[in-house]
Structure formats: structure tokens, C-alpha cells
Amino acid sequence: MLLRWAIAFLIIALIAAFFGFGGIAASAAGIAKILFFVFLIIFAITLVASLMQGRSI
């Protein structure tokens, strides 16, 4: 879900930059960057948690 929002804000930033709205493009790119890093942190935490849990036979 967070990755979809990050991609959406990235697309908004690209479109805004194309039409010359520098402030909106910078804001949308900043939000996309923050959401992407939050996604990576949550992904890493869940990956480590699932590896620590192991498989039950």
C-alpha cells in the first residue's frame, strides 16, 4: 500500500515538473521519498521477523 502511494506521488511530481510547477513537484517528490523509505523499513522489519520465526513442521 505504501509503495503504491509512493509511486503515485512520484508520478504527480513528474507531471508537475513537466508543466513547470516546481514547488508542487518538489513537495510531491519529497513525500514520495519519505513513503518509499517507510516502506523499505517496514519491509525489512517484517522480513527479519519472518526469518526469526522460522518454519514449523
Side-chain angles (χ1 to χ4, degrees):
M1 177 94 171
L2 280 176
L3 190 58
R4 288 183 192 169
W5 279 104
I7 292 171
F9 276 106
L10 180 65
I11 291 170
I12 291 170
L14 290 173
I15 292 171
F18 179 74
F19 288 117
F21 298 108
I24 296 172
S27 298
I31 292 171
K33 188 188 302 187
I34 290 169
L35 288 175
F36 181 71
F37 284 122
V38 169
F39 165 77
L40 284 180
I41 291 168
I42 293 173
F43 175 74
I45 290 170
T46 55
L47 182 67
V48 168
S50 66
L51 289 175
M52 296 295 260
Q53 184 180 11
R55 292 186 182 180
S56 59
I57 296 176

